[in-house]
Amino acid sequence: MTTGNIEDSDDDWSDTQSIDSCEAYIHFESIRDPSTSLEEAVSFSWPGVYQEEQQQENQQQQNEEEKVLRKITISTLLEEDDLAPLFGGCQWAGTRLWGAAVRAIQYLTGHLDGASGLELVSSGSNNNSSSSNNNIKTTMLELGCGLGVPGMIYHMLGSNVILTDQEDILTQLEKNVLDNFPYTSTARVDGSQHYIRAMPLSWSREGANSLLEQLHLSTDGFDIVLNCDCVFEPLYGKSWHLLNETIDELLKVNPKCIVVSSMERRGQADGIDLFIDEMKEMEFVGSVEKVYYDEKRKIEIYVTRGL
């Protein structure tokens, strides 16, 4: 296999001008079969997240350039059983790393110019501790996560994370999570250990409550709910109705939950305006605010809060 780097400024937190800045920000590499040049996997690292063995106290005096960034490698190859419904769209979209996902994690970690930081309040299961731009002791749910890159990065930064997608395309995600997080992907999910899980979720109020019950979070819910590029009518139809129902139910359980929706505009018929308008009218939604717009990439980020 060979790797191809997408070159750009590695350390510029606010580089939103380059068309490649989303990928370059996370030190992104595409791994391709040398005989066919077809992509087989992607690898990425996040600024400031180093290999665990170099995070020990006796290594704290190392110079930044001597530290090695932790690298995550995830397969983008679909399993044989997943190829048949490929042209339904969801399977193919789930193997891509979209710019909206990178902007979302930049926003959540407070490294996105032009967007105000988040005040995060962790759920009751995490002792109600509060933090600003600090995900330690928070629980995140990523909806329609595809490759799950934002959730994996947030997990590396300290959060407990649940990555969800449709059950029929979960095989690839489960394998990638286990390969990259062999210990925390098998840890207890009762809050006593640091964990990350890939789990199936069909968007609905019933599906949201079933997931919360499995995780013993029916009372506390999640601190953060993230969805990236989950609305595009030509590909996904009007599934945003079900996405809104799921979000509304999660806000009902935990009104302090923060919902972050990051989406790339792809024409007037993308369905995003309808999605946002309906979200504002949901029963347990208190506010919906556009917090960021990348004019060049046409990426918008909205923050939704409960009542």
Side-chain angles (χ1 to χ4, degrees):
M1 293 185 183
T2 60
T3 62
N5 292 309
I6 298 178
E7 298 295 340
D8 205 336
S9 54
D10 290 340
D11 298 319
D12 187 352
W13 294 104
S14 59
D15 180 10
T16 59
Q17 300 306 311
S18 168
I19 195 67
D20 294 329
S21 64
C22 287
E23 290 83 0
Y25 180 83
I26 63 168
H27 308 272
F28 174 88
E29 293 179 330
S30 176
I31 303 173
R32 300 178 181 273
D33 185 324
S35 63
T36 64
S37 295
L38 295 177
E39 184 180 84
E40 297 182 330
V42 295
S43 74
F44 61 89
S45 54
W46 187 256
V49 178
Y50 301 101
Q51 291 182 3
E52 291 181 358
E53 62 266 24
Q54 292 186 319
Q55 294 178 347
Q56 304 301 320
E57 290 184 5
N58 61 357
Q59 298 289 337
Q60 292 302 310
Q61 300 303 315
Q62 280 188 305
N63 294 326
E64 289 293 318
E65 61 269 19
E66 294 176 346
K67 296 181 180 180
V68 178
L69 291 170
R70 180 177 180 184
K71 183 174 290 187
I72 298 296
T73 300
I74 49 182
S75 170
T76 57
L77 295 176
L78 290 168
E79 297 293 328
E80 184 176 351
D81 291 342
D82 295 329
L83 291 175
L86 176 61
F87 294 102
C90 296
Q91 284 77 7
W92 170 80
T95 68
R96 302 294 88 204
L97 175 59
W98 302 104
V102 180
R103 288 289 182 255
I105 193 64
Q106 283 182 274
Y107 174 71
L108 285 170
T109 56
H111 296 134
L112 187 57
D113 266 12
S116 57
L118 282 175
E119 289 290 334
L120 303 180
V121 179
S122 62
S123 61
S125 61
N126 292 314
N127 302 318
N128 286 323
S129 60
S130 63
S131 60
S132 177
N133 291 325
N134 184 348
N135 62 315
I136 302 297
K137 298 184 179 179
T138 60
T139 56
M140 171 194 276
L141 169 67
E142 187 173 356
L143 300 170
C145 70
L147 292 178
V149 172
M152 290 184 189
I153 291 172
Y154 217 55
H155 177 66
M156 289 195 296
L157 294 171
S159 181
N160 292 326
V161 172
I162 300 297
L163 303 170
T164 62
D165 216 319
Q166 300 177 59
E167 187 168 12
D168 60 352
I169 59 174
L170 206 66
T171 305
Q172 179 191 64
L173 178 64
E174 290 175 328
K175 182 178 185 302
N176 285 330
V177 169
L178 182 61
D179 287 348
N180 287 283
F181 305 99
Y183 301 110
T184 54
S185 64
T186 56
R188 296 166 61 93
V189 294
D190 59 2
S192 64
Q193 296 178 320
H194 187 209
Y195 64 81
I196 183 171
R197 282 285 194 284
M199 300 181 68
L201 174 63
S202 295
W203 295 341
S204 65
R205 295 185 185 276
E206 295 78 11
N209 282 312
S210 175
L211 180 69
L212 290 169
E213 289 176 8
Q214 293 177 65
L215 297 168
H216 309 289
L217 291 174
S218 296
T219 301
D220 298 318
F222 291 95
D223 302 311
I224 302 169
V225 172
L226 175 65
N227 65 94
C228 302
D229 261 341
C230 288
V231 179
F232 183 50
E233 283 196 2
L235 196 60
Y236 306 129
K238 296 186 182 294
S239 60
W240 52 264
H241 288 302
L242 296 173
L243 177 57
N244 267 332
E245 286 190 10
T246 303
I247 289 170
D248 196 48
E249 192 67 21
L250 293 167
L251 287 172
K252 175 184 177 182
V253 173
N254 181 13
K256 294 181 179 180
C257 171
I258 295 172
V259 180
V260 176
S261 304
S262 182
M263 299 164 286
E264 182 175 340
R265 301 305 305 245
R266 297 180 174 90
Q268 294 183 343
D270 56 18
I272 291 175
D273 291 334
L274 295 173
F275 166 65
I276 295 299
D277 287 344
E278 182 183 77
M279 182 186 287
K280 292 176 180 178
E281 301 301 319
M282 300 303 288
E283 183 178 0
F284 299 100
V285 169
S287 65
V288 180
E289 178 187 5
K290 182 192 288 188
V291 297
Y292 176 76
Y293 178 60
D294 181 336
E295 185 173 1
K296 195 170 188 68
R297 297 292 299 253
K298 306 300 181 187
I299 295 172
E300 299 177 345
I301 299 179
Y302 294 84
V303 168
T304 304
R305 301 175 188 271
L307 295 170

